[in-house]
Amino acid sequence: MKQQVTTAIILGRTDYGEADRILSLLTPEYGKLSLLAKGVRRVKSKLAGGIELFSVSEITFIKGRGEVGTLVSTRLVKHYDRIVGDLNRTMLGYDLIKQLNRATEDETEPAYFDVLRDTFEALNDVDIPSDLVRFWFAAQMLRLNGHAPNLQSDDRGERLSVDRRYEFGTGHMAFVYSPERGRFEASHIKFLRLAFAGTPPRELWRVRGSSALTEDLLPLMQHLTLVV
């Protein structure tokens, strides 16, 4: 059978038999793959070095007649060692991988691969707060799943104003003018616009007041990922 070569990120690993593993991988060209890594749990396996979690690897594989193909060879491209060196970032990374895995089907857009790779880059940068990475990831998932909020006009269709305060209405996925109880203002909306435009986490981190803005907006983003 014809061998295929692609870039991949490991989503999950399941022990199989005495020395094998079945891998779930995310790729830009083939979406999600399920591949059998034969003998990978043996000490001298040549496959093991290229299938580390929190890594990007180049893999060669053969598609199977059923759902599971066969992993032929691996080459580690980049390992994000600072993630695995910090327990909190490791646990957050696991959580975000699980979220993406649940939200995607086998025929996955290449953009999901880019989001996960960029998430690893941000988690590996210890200067960037983990909550900002979580916030950014939630924005990308909402955007890719077609649930981005309306960041141009309010629930009545009026253009958002820099001198008004708002609450957020999940029914219309839009801000609601609320002069007395509104928690969100122009700086929050601008920060959301940057995030949903795909601005990299490091650039968001450089925005003045990014820590406070993240703290204010993260609960909203987490709520939206649950209700849409």
Side-chain angles (χ1 to χ4, degrees), residues 44-68:
K44 295 184 179 180
S45 172
K46 295 181 179 180
L47 296 176
I51 57 169
E52 294 294 325
L53 294 172
F54 303 114
S55 298
V56 175
S57 300
E58 181 181 273
I59 66 167
T60 302
F61 71 98
I62 299 173
K63 286 189 174 181
R65 294 181 178 178
E67 294 182 358
V68 181

Side-chain angles (χ1 to χ4, degrees), residues 83-197:
I83 299 177
V84 297
D86 183 306
L87 180 59
N88 290 330
R89 287 178 179 261
T90 300
M91 297 308 295
L92 175 56
Y94 281 132
D95 182 49
L96 300 184
I97 288 173
K98 289 179 181 178
Q99 287 184 40
L100 186 143
N101 203 9
R102 289 195 300 266
T104 55
E105 302 295 336
D106 291 342
E107 298 298 326
T108 306
E109 296 178 37
Y112 285 99
F113 178 90
D114 295 336
V115 165
L116 190 53
R117 181 196 56 206
D118 292 347
T119 298
F120 288 172
E121 291 281 355
L123 282 176
N124 202 55
D125 187 338
V126 295
D127 290 334
I128 301 175
S130 57
D131 276 351
L132 190 146
V133 180
R134 190 188 296 273
F135 162 80
W136 181 86
F137 179 86
Q140 308 320 304
M141 294 303 293
L142 287 166
R143 175 176 62 85
L144 291 175
N145 291 332
H147 297 298
N150 183 350
L151 300 175
Q152 304 302 322
S153 57
D154 64 19
D155 63 319
R156 297 176 296 178
E158 296 183 7
R159 187 171 183 81
L160 296 174
S161 174
V162 296
D163 57 0
R164 287 186 170 187
R165 300 191 65 85
Y166 299 91
E167 277 298 311
F168 191 85
T170 56
H172 293 86
M173 287 294 284
F175 284 97
V176 179
Y177 177 46
S178 181
E180 296 181 357
R181 302 180 61 183
R183 296 172 293 161
F184 305 113
E185 55 187 15
S187 59
H188 296 100
I189 295 169
K190 290 178 181 178
F191 199 65
L192 283 171
R193 286 173 178 169
L194 287 172
F196 277 92

